[in-house]
Amino acid sequence: MDFDPRIERTRQKLHQAITELMLAKSYDSISIRDVVAQAKVGYATFYRHYNDKEALLLDVLDELLGELKVLLRPSSGDLTAE
């Protein structure tokens, strides 16, 4: 599948929206309407990318885990030599 920058932009907006909302209130109190309003995307657009709120959260967590793995990857240098 080819990379589509529009899809990536929309997903990043949704990721940022749910993250910001979770900083302000509990996950359980966040609705999909809250997420799309925060992301400034349409309600149907959300469902083109995710089946439900949990799928969005899992995608955000997967992205964060990937970033963490990169940060924790051992460097190619020898850490024992000083």
Side-chain angles (χ1 to χ4, degrees):
M1 187 163 127
D2 293 328
F3 175 77
D4 186 337
R6 294 170 300 167
I7 291 172
E8 185 59 29
R9 267 193 311 273
T10 300
R11 287 185 177 219
Q12 287 305 315
K13 284 181 179 183
L14 292 167
H15 285 200
Q16 184 173 351
I18 197 163
T19 301
E20 289 171 357
L21 288 166
M22 286 191 303
L23 290 172
K25 57 186 183 176
S26 74
Y27 173 77
D28 289 334
S29 69
I30 298 169
S31 70
I32 290 171
R33 291 208 185 273
D34 293 333
V35 174
V36 298
Q38 182 78 15
K40 295 180 176 59
V41 300
Y43 192 74
T45 300
F46 177 90
Y47 285 104
R48 280 190 213 108
H49 296 275
Y50 299 102
N51 291 329
D52 53 27
K53 185 174 71 167
E54 289 75 21
L56 171 58
L57 179 61
L58 288 174
D59 198 31
V60 169
L61 294 173
D62 188 51
E63 182 177 294
L64 290 172
L65 184 58
E67 291 173 9
L68 184 59
K69 285 179 181 178
V70 169
L71 291 173
L72 296 176
R73 186 175 296 144
S75 65
S76 59
D78 183 1
L79 296 178
T80 59
E82 290 189 21

